[in-house]
Amino acid sequence: MDAGQVTLMFTDIEGSTRLIDLLGDGYSPLLLRHQEIVRAATNRFNGEEDGTQGDSFFIMFQSAAEGFAAAVEIHRALESEPWTRGVQVRVRIGLHQGTVKVVQGRVVGLDVHRAARIASAGHGGQSVLSESVVQALTPGDVAASNVSLRALGSHRLKDIRYPEKLWDIVDTQVESLFPPLRSMETRPTNIASPRGPIIGRERELGELSAALSGGEDRLITIVGTGGTGKSSVAQRTAALLEDQFPDGVYLVDLGPVSEGDLVFPTIAQALGIRDFPGRPVVEDIASSIQDGRQLLILDTFEHVLDAGTGVAHLIAQCPNLRILVTSRAELGLSIERPFRLDPLALPKAGDPAPEESGAMRLFVERVQEALPDFVVDASNRETVVDIVRRLEGVPLALELAAARLGLMTPKQLLGRLDARFKLLRSSRRDLDRHKTLRDAIEWSDNLLSEEERDVFQRLSVFVGGFKLEDAENVLYEVDGLDADILETIASLTSKSLLFRRLEHGEPRFDMFDMIREYATDTLTRAGTRDETECAFVAHYAALAEECGPKAMTRGQLPYVTRLAEEADNLRAALRAGIDRGDAETVARIVDALFWYWISQGQFTEGLRWIGSAVSLADRQSGTAAEATIHFAAAYLKVCAGDYGGGRPHGERAKEIRASLGDKTGEKDAALVHALCCAAEGSMEDPSAIILDSIEQMRAVGNYYAHAVGLIILGEGTRMEGDKETAEGCYREAIGLLDRIENTFWPGLLKQNIGHFRLAEGKLDEAAGFFAEAHDLGEDFDYPIVVHLSVAGFGGLALARGDARLAARLLGGVDSHMERIGASFEPTDKADIDGYVAGARAALGDAAYDASAAEGAQASWETLRREARALGDSEPEPAGSDAAGEPAATTL
């Protein structure tokens, strides 16, 4: 099947391990019969099998109807099969329609990953469908199988940023009642399979698991030299404890974070916590976790030790939080329990079975990955023992050496190690082991070809891992580099100088920290860091410009996902640009990302970079780059609620653009400056400036700036009580935003109109506007929009005569807003306060407080569903007139 739009099916048997234990040798014929049934059904509907592993299938269909019919037939055939010993084979199936591509004979793409995650959320006997499949099906497709579809709501899936609207199949011929889906709501975690060595760590895993699950230690730091496998042990420990931490198990990789003040924004982003302005982000994290039972892994902490006080604060504020840190040094906190991770156990002298030691087991297994026939016997046992002793049991050093046994015999490998390793023999074992690993990396580097070494060193500029195409785009810009990047990366991976992982279904490559440190050092000494870094910064500036402006559109998902994947490299590009004094490139990146930072709630990080960028730009006074940076600073501060802080930036951007003759840019900056002045009360009537700017934006066809101007004007007239003019502004803005498929503002504007309709007694129209706003906020991950909509539904419940439900929803919103540390704008709060007052009057204070407290105790997902159920009517079309053009504003 060719690449392109296809329907993807993943299947596997639920409880296969239990069946193996129960049936023993009888499991194999059962598995074969299951495979025959699945293949018969999928072949009948033209499915193409791409991969089978154990009890799982990956199958593609040309149409959603074919995949759907095959899923129904698979379940019916498995249900009617007379299985041995009375067992029942129940398969879970995931169906998703998306786009794939074929790379080196493999089907890859984000949608492959999404389909697999959809399948893993289901239960045996259940087919879980994405909304893309449901939209592609016709009523006839569903009726032909004599089944129906059941909506399961929106669910967050592991490693998928946005909630997925999921459905399943109700079939009277088979069981159709299932527990809740296994989504992030039921088992939240971002940890995939542990990377790196875990062989020989059974004791350590047991001790850490016991300490974290039942002991009194709430902050444990795994301390050890580089290359001992701290990250792998931490991740495997977390995987073992997932069931014991129902509120989440999360990994935060701090290796790429170069500034201590970015530690907690990075943690917030990993946990999906919005950074609300006005208080430290560590408080946002604490407010979100509260008394939740959660395990947090902070990986590679040694270079941000000054953030340790924030870690102690989290522990103090969150009574059920446990934190597992990996570091080369202790944090130095009184509440910390250091856990020493030494290298793997070495074979003891005279040991009759030396291959049972941890170091030997790891070395042999890594060799056998490339040389399956390799065994330790009498002819090589002594030599292999000497190799692992030379390498002091350091796991990463063992892996580097094992990767070379395909090119030489054990004796030749030992000879090269003896020639290279002149180790000190002192009591300072950490220094010795650090030197052992450093020597192992240098030894492996010396065995590379000149081209391989050049590529290896230059790849160290990537600090957050990289995709193949990114490496090619950066390195092929470097003069004189003629290596085949694909082949060289494959070679470096086989030699363990790079490791490969899957992210969203696509391969991504990275270096272990110690290897990157070595490669960076040699790149600098070789004198080639500057030119490589220039190409790196240019590449990520272009990536930001490609993805950033699309981060608030209906097609935002791949762009936001891409920016999130490359967050560490984008940070590195900004840091390098600032350090190099390249204001123009820094301005390009900031200009591309500032609305992304705003829409994703990353205010602390955005303002941190803006502060550094402004300091750089002000040294190059009067340039377009300086104006761009001040313009971004103004909007970031405005959206963070700091109008006084935004005003001088807006003014400076306006002045510079005027001096440069950039009339359009001047008017654009004038909008944000006027907004700041109006909010501060330092400008008596900003409307003339705003209207002038709107006309300029209309003239040049800048739909987005035009819409923002209308929104500013609408908010001003709404505050003055002129709802008719405000609605005209909102509707025209929605029409313009629809043209560019913007999703950030329409939800806010539609819930505003919902309040207007509610005040007029047009309840069905109000319900429709709140429903549209809610769905935009949910689908595109704008939590304030969702909260505003739920509060609006509280007002709707009151208007429909259900004051208890109104109090429940309003109490839940108030509690949840307090928990995440956010607050509504004054105009929104005025509407909501009116609903609260009305519900109190209807119920009395005691009954209102009881219902509000009930809402505060309910889960946010439950409240959201209750609210959304009220929105069962459609609003009139918003934002366009009969001719389909944006409605003219009446002022």
Side-chain angles (χ1 to χ4, degrees):
M1 190 171 292
D2 296 332
Q5 188 82 4
V6 294
T7 296
L8 308 165
M9 173 188 284
F10 278 90
T11 81
D12 70 340
I13 297 176
E14 182 179 60
S16 57
T17 302
R18 179 183 57 80
L19 290 174
I20 293 171
D21 292 340
L22 176 66
L23 300 177
D25 292 342
Y27 177 73
S28 291
L30 177 145
L31 178 63
L32 290 173
R33 179 57 187 147
H34 145 264
Q35 291 173 342
E36 290 172 356
I37 290 172
V38 172
R39 287 191 174 114
T42 55
N43 288 341
R44 180 182 170 195
F45 295 100
N46 306 309
E48 182 175 313
E49 187 178 321
D50 185 73
T52 304
Q53 186 173 3
D55 60 16
S56 66
F57 281 89
F58 171 32
I59 301 162
M60 293 181 292
F61 299 85
Q62 290 286 3
S63 72
E66 291 173 328
F68 179 81
V72 172
E73 185 161 312
I74 288 170
H75 287 310
R76 289 175 176 173
L78 291 171
E79 183 78 15
S80 62
E81 180 74 12
W83 298 102
T84 182
R85 294 174 58 176
V87 302
Q88 184 61 47
V89 175
R90 297 174 65 79
V91 165
R92 56 183 178 179
I93 296 176
L95 285 172
H96 174 61
Q97 183 156 292
T99 303
V100 299
K101 58 184 177 180
V102 180
V103 178
Q104 295 183 341
R106 294 179 59 250
V107 177
V108 299
L110 178 61
D111 285 313
V112 176
H113 181 72
R114 183 171 286 107
R117 289 303 186 207
I118 289 168
S120 66
H123 300 274
Q126 186 176 28
S127 287
V128 182
L129 285 60
S130 71
E131 189 173 28
S132 64
V133 171
V134 173
Q135 290 179 342
L137 293 171
T138 68
D141 296 331
V142 178
S145 296
N146 195 28
V147 297
S148 61
L149 294 175
R150 175 170 50 201
L152 302 176
S154 295
H155 293 264
R156 291 190 179 277
L157 304 177
K158 187 175 180 180
D159 298 330
I160 302 296
R161 176 175 173 79
Y162 292 93
E164 294 282 340
K165 288 186 177 179
L166 300 178
W167 306 67
D168 70 354
I169 299 172
V170 178
D171 186 352
T172 58
Q173 298 184 33
V174 297
E175 174 63 51
S176 294
L177 294 176
F178 306 100
L181 294 179
R182 297 185 179 96
S183 60
M184 291 286 283
E185 282 82 4
T186 58
R187 184 174 293 178
T189 182
N190 67 345
I191 298 179
S193 300
R195 80 180 191 195
I198 54 171
I199 294 170
R201 297 300 192 188
E202 292 80 6
R203 177 187 62 80
E204 291 89 341
L205 290 172
E207 290 181 10
L208 284 168
S209 298
L212 288 166
S213 60
E216 296 182 356
D217 299 304
R218 295 179 51 216
L219 172 62
I220 299 177
T221 302
I222 303 177
V223 183
T225 55
T228 51
K230 299 184 293 295
S231 298
S232 298
V233 168
Q235 291 184 50
R236 177 51 61 89
T237 301
L240 294 172
L241 295 176
E242 269 191 15
D243 290 340
Q244 299 188 37
F245 292 91
D247 296 302
V249 177
Y250 293 97
L251 168 71
V252 184
D253 182 6
L254 297 174
V257 178
S258 57
E259 288 90 1
D261 55 2
L262 288 178
V263 167
F264 291 99
T266 302
I267 294 172
Q269 290 164 31
L271 272 61
I273 296 169
R274 291 302 175 107
D275 168 10
F276 291 98
R279 66 176 183 171
V281 68
V282 67
E283 298 291 351
D284 293 321
I285 298 170
S287 294
S288 178
I289 296 173
Q290 289 192 339
D291 58 357
R293 185 164 175 77
Q294 194 170 102
L295 174 62
L296 187 60
I297 299 174
L298 305 181
D299 194 20
T300 317
F301 207 90
E302 60 270 4
H303 59 296
V304 288
L305 290 174
D306 57 336
T309 54
V311 172
H313 181 74
L314 277 182
I315 290 287
Q317 295 297 309
C318 308
N320 295 316
L321 173 67
R322 307 242 167 172
I323 297 179
L324 182 59
V325 175
T326 73
S327 178
R328 297 182 205 170
E330 297 176 20
L331 276 61
L333 301 173
S334 60
I335 59 173
E336 174 186 25
R337 174 193 167 183
F339 184 93
R340 184 76 192 181
L341 189 69
D342 290 319
L344 291 168
L346 295 169
K348 297 179 180 178
D351 192 337
E355 53 266 38
E356 293 182 6
S357 70
M360 284 284 283
R361 286 164 53 202
L362 174 64
F363 181 77
V364 171
E365 180 164 314
R366 292 296 181 262
V367 173
Q368 288 175 342
E369 287 177 0
L371 301 172
D373 296 334
F374 178 82
V375 293
V376 176
D377 55 25
S379 68
N380 63 15
R381 182 173 288 108
E382 184 176 346
T383 302
V384 175
V385 168
D386 284 346
I387 288 171
V388 299
R389 284 178 175 163
R390 292 288 191 284
L391 297 173
E392 301 240 337
V394 177
L396 183 52
L398 291 168
E399 293 204 21
L400 291 171
R404 289 295 182 176
L405 266 191
L407 302 175
M408 58 190 78
T409 66
K411 284 189 175 181
Q412 289 172 326
L413 175 60
L414 179 60
R416 286 179 176 265
L417 290 174
D418 278 337
R420 174 67 207 166
F421 286 47
K422 308 290 185 183
L423 297 180
L424 298 172
R425 297 299 177 187
S426 72
S427 60
R428 301 182 66 184
R429 298 306 303 154
D430 273 359
L431 291 179
D432 289 350
R433 287 161 180 159
H434 185 87
K435 187 176 187 304
T436 296
L437 179 55
R438 179 83 178 187
D439 282 350
I441 297 169
E442 186 172 352
W443 170 78
S444 192
D445 177 31
N446 289 338
L447 295 177
L448 298 175
S449 69
E450 185 175 343
E451 287 186 347
E452 287 177 325
R453 184 175 300 110
D454 194 14
V455 172
F456 167 58
Q457 293 172 358
R458 293 179 190 272
L459 287 174
S460 66
V461 298
F462 293 93
V463 298
F466 57 88
K467 293 183 177 181
L468 173 62
E469 57 265 33
D470 292 317
E472 290 177 329
N473 288 336
V474 170
L475 298 194
Y476 281 142
E477 288 297 313
V478 177
D479 290 337
L481 197 154
D482 299 322
D484 184 316
I485 303 300
L486 171 61
E487 293 298 327
T488 307
I489 286 175
S491 176
L492 293 171
T493 304
S494 72
K495 296 174 174 65
S496 293
L497 291 169
L498 297 175
F499 66 87
R500 176 184 177 275
R501 65 175 183 268
L502 282 180
E503 193 165 279
H504 300 130
E506 296 191 30
R508 191 173 182 88
F509 300 88
D510 207 345
M511 293 181 182
F512 289 103
D513 293 330
M514 283 288 293
I515 292 177
R516 181 181 292 107
E517 289 174 16
Y518 171 87
T520 300
D521 182 50
T522 54
L523 180 69
T524 303
R525 287 190 281 110
T528 51
R529 179 172 179 172
D530 188 67
E531 60 181 356
T532 311
E533 200 171 69
C534 279
F536 171 84
V537 172
H539 173 71
Y540 281 99
L543 177 70
E545 289 176 323
E546 176 192 358
C547 298
K550 298 172 183 174
M552 296 190 296
T553 65
R554 289 193 175 275
Q556 67 175 252
L557 192 148
Y559 301 104
V560 171
T561 300
R562 186 86 164 101
L563 291 173
E565 286 175 346
E566 300 301 334
D568 293 320
N569 285 318
L570 288 164
R571 288 170 174 166
L574 273 167
R575 170 48 54 203
I578 290 167
D579 290 345
R580 299 163 69 86
D582 185 358
E584 184 176 339
T585 302
V586 170
R588 288 172 57 200
I589 299 175
V590 165
D591 187 47
L593 294 183
F594 78 91
W595 279 116
Y596 166 74
W597 288 326
I598 290 168
S599 67
Q600 302 306 305
Q602 295 176 11
F603 288 100
T604 297
E605 174 151 5
L607 289 169
R608 186 246 182 274
W609 289 117
I610 282 290
S612 297
V614 167
S615 297
L616 169 65
D618 286 348
R619 298 199 298 269
Q620 303 178 24
S621 183
T623 63
E626 184 192 7
T628 296
I629 291 169
H630 279 289
F631 179 77
Y635 265 115
L636 262 169
K637 287 183 177 290
V638 162
C639 291
D642 183 7
Y643 295 97
R647 181 185 53 75
H649 292 294
E651 186 173 20
R652 181 61 179 154
K654 182 179 66 170
E655 290 173 352
I656 296 172
R657 287 174 172 175
S659 71
L660 296 174
D662 179 4
K663 186 176 181 181
T664 298
E666 177 192 355
K667 300 299 183 185
D668 203 359
L671 275 174
V672 67
H673 179 239
L675 173 60
C676 293
C677 291
E680 285 188 302
S682 58
M683 183 181 292
E684 185 173 339
D685 183 12
S687 59
I689 295 174
I690 295 172
L691 285 169
D692 184 38
S693 297
I694 288 173
E695 286 307 311
Q696 178 68 18
M697 297 304 112
R698 190 197 307 271
V700 298
N702 187 333
Y703 292 144
Y704 186 72
H706 184 180
V708 170
L710 288 165
I711 293 166
I712 293 171
L713 192 62
E715 287 296 280
T717 53
R718 179 185 176 196
M719 291 178 67
E720 294 170 355
D722 184 357
K723 295 181 178 180
E724 182 179 352
T725 299
E727 182 169 341
C729 291
Y730 296 155
R731 284 178 172 273
E732 185 176 355
I734 291 171
L736 292 164
L737 293 165
D738 282 347
R739 287 187 172 192
I740 56 176
E741 297 190 324
N742 180 276
T743 59
F744 180 66
W745 295 107
L748 292 166
L749 302 180
K750 288 181 179 183
Q751 68 88 30
N752 285 349
I753 298 174
H755 291 300
F756 296 165
R757 294 291 86 80
L758 198 55
E760 296 166 358
K762 298 177 180 179
L763 305 190
D764 287 346
E765 291 183 30
F769 279 110
F770 289 141
E772 280 195 57
H774 171 277
D775 291 350
L776 280 168
E778 185 69 19
D779 290 347
F780 296 100
D781 201 14
Y782 303 138
I784 290 297
V785 176
V786 177
H787 284 73
L788 284 167
S789 302
V790 173
F793 279 124
L796 179 66
L798 176 65
R800 287 178 173 173
D802 193 342
R804 290 188 182 278
L805 177 57
R808 175 179 165 84
L809 295 177
L810 293 166
V813 169
D814 184 61
S815 172
H816 205 259
M817 287 290 286
E818 182 180 353
R819 177 175 180 178
I820 65 177
S823 59
F824 294 133
E825 291 290 328
T827 47
D828 295 316
K829 192 173 187 305
D831 287 325
I832 295 166
D833 286 347
Y835 305 146
V836 170
R840 278 192 180 278
L843 294 173
D845 287 342
Y848 178 89
D849 290 341
S851 294
E854 182 183 300
Q857 294 298 316
S859 74
W860 180 241
E861 181 66 19
T862 298
L863 288 171
R864 190 192 60 74
R865 282 200 302 266
E866 290 175 0
R868 182 60 182 82
L870 298 172
D872 55 2
S873 62
E874 294 294 327
E876 60 191 77
S880 61
D881 59 19
E885 292 297 315
T889 307
T890 302
L891 300 176

